Amino acid sequence: MRYVVGYTADERGHDAVCLAVALARRQDARLDLVLVTPEHSPYSGIYLPGKPFESLLTDQLQEWMEQGLALVPDDVPARGVIVRAESNAEGLIRAAEDSEASLIVIGASSRGLTTLFSIGNVARSLLHASPVPVALAPRSYRRTDPVTRMTCAVGNRAGADDVVSVAVASAQRRGLPLRLVSLVTLDAGQSDSEGVEDEANRRLAEAASALAAGGRVSVETAHGSSIEKAIEALAWDEGEVLLVGSSRLAQHMRIFLGSTANKILRTLTIPMIVVPRTYATPGTTTGPGTLTHEADA
C-alpha cells in the first residue's frame, strides 16, 4: 500500500508528512513524498537516500527533498518523487494514479490564522478532482504515533451508506475502534429533526450491531445549535481522524466538499479524510452490513 504526500518545504509540508506517518504506521504503508515542479522544468525523477538521482535535480530541489525524507522515521518506508505538472493538484493526482496510491495526504493552507484548517488552492483543486480519498492535516500537526481511533460523520442524504462502508472497512483493516457520529439533526431544511435523528440512529445502530464481531463500533449523536457547536461538544482523542463523505453534488468517483464538511472544518482540531462520492475500495462491497474485506482509505 502506498500513500502520496503533497510535500512542500514549509510548515504545511511538515504537517502532511507527520499525518502520513501516523496513518502509514497502522497499515505498513509506503510513502511517496511528491514535490511538484512547473511543467516546463527539466527536473523530474525519483530520489532514494544514498542512491544517485535518476535525473538531474538542482541543489535546491535535492535539499528540499532530503529535508522532507528526514522527517520520516526509519520504520516507515519512503521515497521522494519529483513530478512536473501545470499545478500541484494535477501533479499529486498523477502521482497517485501512476503508483496506484490509495490516499493523498496534504497540509492545511498556511494562510489560516484563526482556524487550524484553511482550504487553499491546492486543497480546493484536489477536493474537486481527486479519484482517491484526501487526508487533510490541521495546521501545526506534529503527531506521528499511530492513529488511535476513527470517527465517521454520517448524514441522512444519498451516499451516507457508502462512506459508512469505507469507514468500517478502513477501521477493520487498521484494527481501530470506529465511532459513527450522526449529524442528521443539524442538516438544514429538516422539519422533523427528532424523527430523522431516530431513523439515523436506528440505521447506524443496525450497522454497528451487524459489524460488532468484526471490530469495535459505537454510535453517537452530535447535538448543538449549529454544526460547529456540535463538533465542539464531541470528545476527540488526540490520535483520532475524522472520515467524511463528499457532497451529493460531486461527480462519480470525485470529491466535492459540501457545506456541512466546510462547517466541520471551522472547528475541527484533528485530521479529516474526505472520501470521493460512490468510492468503493478494491475488494469491498458497498453497504455497511456486507463489508468483510479490506479497504485502502
Side-chain angles (χ1 to χ4, degrees):
M1 183 171 297
R2 191 172 294 279
Y3 297 160
V4 161
V5 185
Y7 178 68
T8 50
D10 54 18
E11 291 297 305
R12 181 175 54 186
H14 196 161
D15 298 339
V17 172
C18 289
L19 175 56
V21 169
L23 293 169
R25 279 178 158 165
R26 272 291 179 179
Q27 295 199 126
D28 296 325
R30 297 174 177 270
L31 304 183
D32 280 355
L33 271 62
V34 177
L35 204 164
V36 180
T37 63
E39 182 70 39
H40 58 77
S41 171
Y43 308 115
S44 64
I46 297 175
Y47 173 62
L48 298 173
K51 296 183 180 180
F53 284 95
E54 294 181 9
S55 65
L56 179 64
L57 297 175
T58 64
D59 291 341
Q60 183 63 78
L61 287 175
Q62 179 178 350
E63 180 181 349
W64 286 340
M65 189 57 74
E66 289 177 345
Q67 290 173 353
L69 290 171
L71 299 174
V72 182
D74 292 339
D75 63 311
V76 179
R79 66 177 184 175
V81 179
I82 308 297
V83 175
R84 287 184 293 169
E86 293 184 358
S87 69
N88 285 331
E90 177 189 323
L92 294 175
I93 291 173
R94 186 193 307 161
E97 292 173 340
D98 290 346
S99 63
E100 298 184 345
S102 57
L103 184 70
I104 297 176
V105 186
I106 60 174
S109 171
S110 58
R111 294 178 297 178
L113 299 177
T114 60
T115 63
L116 294 179
F117 286 95
S118 179
I119 302 301
N121 292 333
V122 176
R124 187 175 295 108
S125 297
L126 279 175
L127 293 173
H128 277 82
S130 177
V132 299
V134 175
L136 303 171
R139 183 159 50 92
S140 300
Y141 188 82
R142 291 296 182 270
R143 180 185 172 87
T144 57
D145 290 337
V147 172
T148 58
R149 183 170 72 170
M150 180 172 289
T151 287
C152 179
V154 183
N156 70 322
R157 292 172 174 169
D161 287 345
D162 290 342
V163 72
V164 171
S165 297
V166 173
V168 168
S170 298
Q172 286 179 339
R173 183 184 183 102
R174 292 181 170 91
L176 289 172
L178 172 65
R179 178 174 61 162
L180 303 177
V181 174
S182 171
L183 298 177
V184 172
T185 55
L186 305 174
D187 284 348
Q190 296 294 341
S191 58
D192 181 11
S193 60
E194 291 186 2
V196 173
E197 178 180 346
D198 290 343
E199 173 61 22
N201 286 337
R202 182 193 63 78
R203 185 178 73 244
L204 296 184
E206 288 178 353
S209 176
L211 293 158
R216 295 161 288 173
V217 184
S218 62
V219 174
E220 190 171 339
T221 300
H223 292 283
S225 58
S226 65
I227 290 178
E228 293 88 342
K229 293 296 184 181
I231 292 297
E232 288 178 349
L234 288 169
W236 300 99
D237 290 347
E238 182 181 351
E240 191 166 6
V241 295
L242 175 67
L243 196 75
V244 300
S246 299
S247 166
R248 66 190 186 282
L249 301 177
Q251 297 179 1
H252 174 69
M253 290 296 291
R254 290 294 184 269
I255 291 174
F256 185 86
L257 202 61
S259 59
T260 299
N262 269 306
K263 291 176 182 177
I264 291 173
L265 280 176
R266 296 174 187 171
T267 309
L268 195 65
T269 59
I270 62 169
M272 185 168 82
I273 300 176
V274 188
V275 179
R277 180 173 174 269
T278 66
Y279 180 78
T281 53
T284 65
T285 302
T286 56
T290 60
L291 274 177
T292 57
H293 298 287
E294 297 177 339
D296 294 335

